[in-house]
Amino acid sequence: MKPRIGVYICHCGTNVAATVDVEAVTEFAATLPGVVIARHYTYMCSEPGQALIKEDARTLGLNRVVVASCSPRMHEPTFRAASHEGGVNPYQVEMANIREQCSWVHPDRHEATDKAKALVYAAVMKAAHLEPLEEREAPVTPGALVIGGGVAGLVAALDIADAGFPVHLVERSDRLGGRVAELNRTFPDLEPVAEWLPALVDQVRRHPNITVYLNSRVTDITGFVGNFEARVGPIEAGLAPAQIQVGAIVIATGYNVFDPRLKPEFGYGIYPQVVTTLELEQRLSSGDLTVNGKTPKEVVFIKCVGSRDQQLGRPYCSRVCCMISAKQAQLVRQALPDARVTVFYMDVRTFGKRGEEFYDEARRAGVRYRRGNVSEIYRRGERVVVRVEDTLLARTVEHEADLVVLAVGMEPRPEAADIAALLKLPRSADGFLLEAHPKLRPVDTAVDGVFLAGCCQGPKDIPDTVAQAKAAAASALIPLMRGVVPMEAATAVVDPELCAGCGMCVEICPYSAPALDPLWGVSRVNAVLCKGCGACAVTCPSKAIRLQHFTPDQILAQVEALVGW
Amino acid sequence: MDIQQHAREIGLGLDLFSCIQCGKCTGGCPVSMTTVLNVRSLVYGALIGDIAGPIHEEALWDCTCCFTCVERCPKDVRPAEVIIALRSLLVEEGKVPSTIGNALMGIFRQGNPLGYAREDRIAWMDGLEVKSAQEGCETLLFTCCSSAYDIRAQAATKALVRVLQAAGVDLGHLGTEETCCGNEVRRVGEMGLFEMLVEEGKPLLEEVGVARMVTTSPHCMNTFRHEYQLGMDVLHYTQALARLLEEGRLNMTGRVEKVVTYHDPCFLGKQNGIFDEPREVLKAIPGVKFVEMDRIRDRSLCCEGGGGRMWFEGTNTEGRLAFQRVQEAADTGAEILAVACPFCMAMLDDAVKVKGLSERLRVMDIAELVAMAL
Amino acid sequence: MAQKPAALVIGAGIAGIQAALDIADAGYPVYLVEREPSVGGRMAQLDKTFPTLDCSSCILTPKMVSVGQHPNIELMTYSEVVAVEGEAGAFHVTIRRKPRYVEEDLCRGCGACAQACRMRGRVVDTFNQGLSKRSAIYVPFPQAVPLIYTVDPETCLYLTRGVCGKTFLCKDACPADAINFEQKERIVKVDVAAIIVATGFDLMDPRTKPEFGYGVYPNVITGLEFERLSSASGPTGGKVVLNGNEPQDVVFIHCVGSRDPHTGVPYCSRICCMYTAKHAHLVRDKLPNARITVFYIDMRAFGKGYEEFYDRVKEERVIYRRGEPSEVYRRGDRLVVRAEDSLLGRTVEVEADLVVLATAVVPRADTPAVAQLLGLACSPDGFFQEAHPKYRPVETARTGVFLAGCCQSPKDIPDTVAQAKAAAASALVVLHQTRSR
Ligand SMILES: Cc1cc2nc3c(=O)[nH]c(=O)nc-3n(C[C@H](O)[C@H](O)[C@H](O)COP(=O)(O)OP(=O)(O)OC[C@H]3O[C@@H](n4cnc5c(N)ncnc54)[C@H](O)[C@@H]3O)c2cc1C
Ligand SMILES: Cc1cc2nc3c(=O)[nH]c(=O)nc-3n(C[C@H](O)[C@H](O)[C@H](O)COP(=O)(O)OP(=O)(O)OC[C@H]3O[C@@H](n4cnc5c(N)ncnc54)[C@H](O)[C@@H]3O)c2cc1C
Ligand code: SF4
Ligand code: SF4
Ligand code: SF4
Ligand code: SF4
């Protein structure tokens, strides 16, 4: 079909128009081959802006649309949808980024306008070669896999199961509850864990839609959103592995606590007086706070152990230990009314709902807060000395103590690395699993259909863990409830005539989409798995693979336009 | 004063902006309990461009440059560098304690802080045969000025040469051309003199053309490793001994039936992470019963001999850290407090005498103990 | 909308938008009710967002457009919920749709009316936090969804006085004949199975803390005013200028009103440490030579990547001084911020040309009314009360009603979005159960 192209130049308010002469670009665009109409408008993404495209497409019979505006990451879906409504195939829409790649980075109006013209020219040239593609849908296996049975995993499993889908909950250890099961009472209400966690675990165990696999781990995952297949292997040998099919996966593998031996100045592991907050939880539960058989008179908490520390490569704040210290300091005050309790801190980060109030209560209960990052601990008689500058006194003090509690930070579980590797999930600089977008997609991942819940994504307390777990459940429920998932249309296709069967595409593909046909010995790309990244197309030595929507003639038309500019 | 005006530039120059004023530096600073020096406050003063409150000029010389503050800062700030920068301003203005001034003068004139004649630098070799490095050798021995001139330290130097030669090391020495390494010169802020020492010393060392240098002092090792950019392997002698042990070249046939403890020098341990080799050597000496003190390795207590403190008594003349240290050593039941640095030797040996512990405790260099077991 | 049970979402800030999208994407119908003429909430007012410094409207607009177009979402802007009866699975909701005096299906959003309005340049622009003036017929901001003009009944001459000159300038200017002063409010009744409350937050009026001189000195501003000042689409086009001058010394003050039982805000507002760090970065970016000082009590950089962001901002030569300032006063043509620097143990005076107050996040003024309407409880801090602080953070005492975003307690965008999705999950469970009954 002969190209009939509509070109739309967006002002983006003043974002583009202040630097780029949009009228000049529009006039120029109107002269390009195949262009039937060229317009400019304040906000193309606004409803009236989109209406322009729809109208023109219908009345002028457009079959290609070029929008020159922001990055396609912003609004490509918007303009594809608008063009589609006007009868244009969504894959015959091309965008020229004249904001991020032009007006925002080039201050000179003349140069910016010239570049905008070049970008529009290239986009029009490419658009002429665009072929219509069809978006298809794949059915979804109703069911979810939840990996990790801590609070995050429990809550996510319950929501998905309550919405009517079977859930497979896989837990490495021999019990559900995760770290919380090791705790005594929880902030900010000092509620005993025993009063709520067992009920939650019970709810999961009795749920008709949930199958729990204890002492198990996921050894293999294949497939894609809507249709994953996982192998669950018992950790003890002898038992048969289970093969399960699910439509979505929630990862809830939690965290580890920092090993304070990596901060040798605190003498952890050397002095029995020095314990971690996790160990103190157990002592609080057993009610035995004695050290060397004696009841402590001086108790010191040290914050940020293994957190906020660039030298250790752990620059992040662990988010919960300020509250944990405030909680434990209060509990110690209750258990040992005669003991003096001092917390050494750098900043008190009690930010959550009722957090600051909780900190106020701790101080009112007689917990002393002193500002200073403890520098070292050594022995003096039966006690240890905590050496620290009180930065508000500007004086170094030696604070003798019978019990020192290290508020150890959170870090990624090494076991989570296996899962990340199985699914090819990226991790952030701090080692935790990486969300798709830190603000707007905090539980999605780079892999469609795989979601994050709880501390595997970063440190958080129980309320935030629960919220995030439920959020992951919501994301998982979307494909499950819909019953279908859209499939990428811009996929790679193999020309069996040219394929030599070398298998290089099979090796390079990060999504395991191509496979060699056992009968014919040539490669075939599974369109459902293909994400259209194009790695195979450039690797193929026989030039047998074509990436639709990015074909050589399309790209070359664009390149030639720019080279000739 | 000038310092006030320069504070801001120091703040900018040293990139102190990462500091969160947590106090980890001052809390660990060994002299912060006994003097008014507060390095965290100084960082703050430099940061906000107002150092009037925190500064106490004389106390600036109290810093031992142990770099505990640098090692422990969670935000990778180098707090002690502020002190060094402030010291340089004082040096420029000539406001240097006279004893430090004398030491600098000695280095400038005679190549050593004690101000002894350059010709006497090899007097300690009396009775030994040490090759001239210029004639070619496998390993260059670099003697610290103290190791060369100080009587007590000389004994250790001799012992070391005997041990190395017994292990078959082809040893050479620079002779009277050997000059102060300048580690302390840089740390007292005399940047001009330090640069001069590097400019003259570096070609001298490189001309010898050896692949490996062994130093008697961790201080020399430190500056050669980090501030000279030499094209050779610089080892502290305890590392060399540990290697010889491993290669089976160091045979000890004698016995030293003693209870021994060990003091980590800041420039060897905290600053360069060398904790294990000295202990390996001590434990390998037949007969030695090795015991540890409480404050060891990363938590070792500074002897207060670094950063120019060899030449400056400090603003607090009573509460010397070395006094605490020898007491701690004695409390372990050790008969010998082993050291691996001529400054530690001087500070601790003196403290043993002052504290009246001479009957119970002897300070000895590791090389001396090994030599006893040869 | 069809036979499937529907959900109601009240408030279309990022929390309401996200919750509505999740439910709609899962295939259930949603009524999204927003009081203002446009969706977007506070996030639409922000410039960049910490810690990644994404442009706020750039990441928000696609979502706004989606709720405007989603086949499963019925968007009701400029509307309020006035009654809720029934119970989970079968709520009967009454919604008042206020008259815009502009026909929604005719208006093209061209703005000819606002250009023509007699009140042009005379009405305080609340979207810009009063830093600019607009007309009496307006859209809050250019990317508004829906892009439909609204006549402001408080300032329109016709609506307040019954007459606007000889002829309506706006009506005459409108090429689509969309303006209709005869429009009346409409009452709409809908049945829903689940309700999500996402009404967001307000900011404390800093005049509550008179010592900071807000309202007295024009160069004492709030954090939200700074956002508009810094925004490229704001009244200064993104230039940090006050009364025509670029400030040399900028002082930020944390915890204004927060952590202060005397102002009735004993809690921490949770976002201001980080947005102040962001503001400091933006000032450094725009004014490379400015001296920037931040006064703080505790620096609460707790989220993913936040401490790292704080580290980065400090390295950009931003000086953090510990101490909550006690007073701001005038000296010549500058301001003086007086504080004890608790690390110096000394009171200091820091001169400034611009003082930015990180004012407390407080519940929306109508929270008690909304609580009553829905039968919800409020916690002592005045925000809506969740069913259980730990394991039921989005449920409420009333089955089928859920909370999302800052109406439950202050939170930043990532936590708001997570909680909004959490509320969506809870609502989806109710919708599923209602459907399969
Ligand atoms: C000392 C201390 C005190 C605390 N006190 C409080 C408090 O008072 N209030 C509060 O709100 N928060 C508190 N917390 C925080 C709380 O522990 C966390 O918020 C919560 O545990 C996070 O839950 P999670 O499910 O994400 O992770 P986790 O509890 O770590 O659970 C993860 C689960 O996944 C399993 N798992 C891991 N890898 C795999 C794998 N590959 N396959 C299968 N299973 C796997 C683990 O065995 C574990 O059961 C405290 C934390 C500590 C350290
Ligand atoms: C100065 C400042 C800077 C900030 N910077 C950042 C940042 O950089 N990064 C970050 O993560 N966060 C930042 N935040 C926080 C961010 O603004 C909030 O997290 C977010 O806006 C919360 O969204 P929300 O939907 O809960 O509330 P809101 O944005 O307040 O939205 C609530 C919506 O509900 C509507 N509404 C209210 N009551 C009713 C009713 N009764 N009926 C119908 N509709 C109603 C309102 O009109 C509004 O549209 C900043 C906040 C401030 C104040
Ligand atoms: S939560 Fe508090 S104790 Fe934990 S790392 Fe952050 S600031 Fe330090
Ligand atoms: S340890 Fe580092 S961050 Fe802490 S006060 Fe000292 S210099 Fe600053
Ligand atoms: S180098 Fe040592 S003595 Fe000097 S300030 Fe740092 S910790 Fe103190
Ligand atoms: S977030 Fe920071 S500035 Fe805001 S109230 Fe809490 S501590 Fe104060």
Side-chain angles (χ1 to χ4, degrees), chain B residues 39-78:
Chain B
V39 66
R40 192 262 318 152
S41 285
L42 290 170
V43 170
Y44 198 50
L47 252 180
I48 62 174
D50 172 7
I51 214 155
I55 199 125
H56 180 288
E57 271 182 36
E58 208 189 348
L60 285 179
W61 303 104
D62 282 332
C63 168
T64 69
C65 292
C66 68
F67 274 39
T68 307
C69 53
V70 174
E71 295 308 316
R72 293 206 185 132
C73 170
K75 296 290 180 183
D76 271 341
V77 177
R78 299 177 61 79

Side-chain angles (χ1 to χ4, degrees), chain C residues 84-92 192-195 398-401 430 437:
Chain C
V84 176
E85 282 150 18
E87 59 188 42
F91 288 110
H92 312 294
V192 297
I195 300 177
R398 187 160 182 194
T399 315
V401 180
V430 175
R437 252 211 303 265

Side-chain angles (χ1 to χ4, degrees), chain A residues 14 29 32 73 156 218 267 269 303 322 334 382 389 402 443 446 469 474 527 533:
Chain A
T14 53
L32 295 173
R73 294 187 62 120
V218 176
K303 294 220 244 184
C322 278
Q334 286 172 15
E382 298 203 325
E389 188 205 9
D402 308 302
V443 300
C533 73

Side-chain angles (χ1 to χ4, degrees), chain A residues 303-304 307-308 317-322 347 349:
Chain A
K303 294 220 244 184
C304 302
S307 305
R308 304 182 67 186
C317 162
S318 290
R319 189 165 169 147
V320 288
C321 12
C322 278
D347 292 284
R349 294 183 170 172

Side-chain angles (χ1 to χ4, degrees), chain A residues 288-306:
Chain A
D288 180 12
L289 292 177
T290 56
V291 177
N292 293 335
K294 291 204 181 109
T295 304
K297 288 247 169 300
E298 280 286 350
V299 182
V300 165
F301 285 83
I302 302 178
K303 294 220 244 184
C304 302
V305 176

Side-chain angles (χ1 to χ4, degrees), chain C residues 70-188:
Chain C
H70 205 293
N72 288 342
I73 297 178
E74 184 165 340
L75 182 57
M76 301 190 205
T77 49
Y78 212 48
S79 303
E80 273 169 34
V81 173
V82 288
V84 176
E85 282 150 18
E87 59 188 42
F91 288 110
H92 312 294
V93 182
T94 312
I95 298 162
R96 185 163 68 94
R97 307 212 56 184
K98 296 179 277 188
R100 283 178 194 265
Y101 305 105
V102 175
E103 296 296 343
E104 303 210 349
D105 39 0
L106 293 182
C107 174
R108 298 182 200 155
C110 69
C113 50
Q115 288 292 325
C117 174
R118 230 179 278 282
M119 289 296 285
R120 186 173 164 216
R122 288 158 63 190
V123 179
V124 171
D125 185 344
T126 43
F127 182 81
N128 277 337
Q129 293 300 113
L131 295 173
S132 66
K133 300 277 171 66
R134 58 166 166 80
S135 302
I137 185 165
Y138 70 108
V139 285
F141 54 103
Q143 299 95 321
V145 170
L147 192 68
I148 298 169
Y149 276 72
T150 303
V151 179
D152 178 357
E154 312 262 301
T155 54
C156 166
L157 292 173
Y158 176 73
L159 291 176
T160 50
R161 299 192 197 154
V163 54
C164 174
K166 285 203 187 67
T167 165
F168 299 104
L169 295 181
C170 53
K171 238 168 128 58
D172 296 349
C174 177
D177 203 12
I179 298 169
N180 172 11
F181 281 104
E182 304 307 312
Q183 226 179 38
K184 294 279 171 300
E185 82 171 31
R186 280 189 297 138
I187 296 293
V188 180

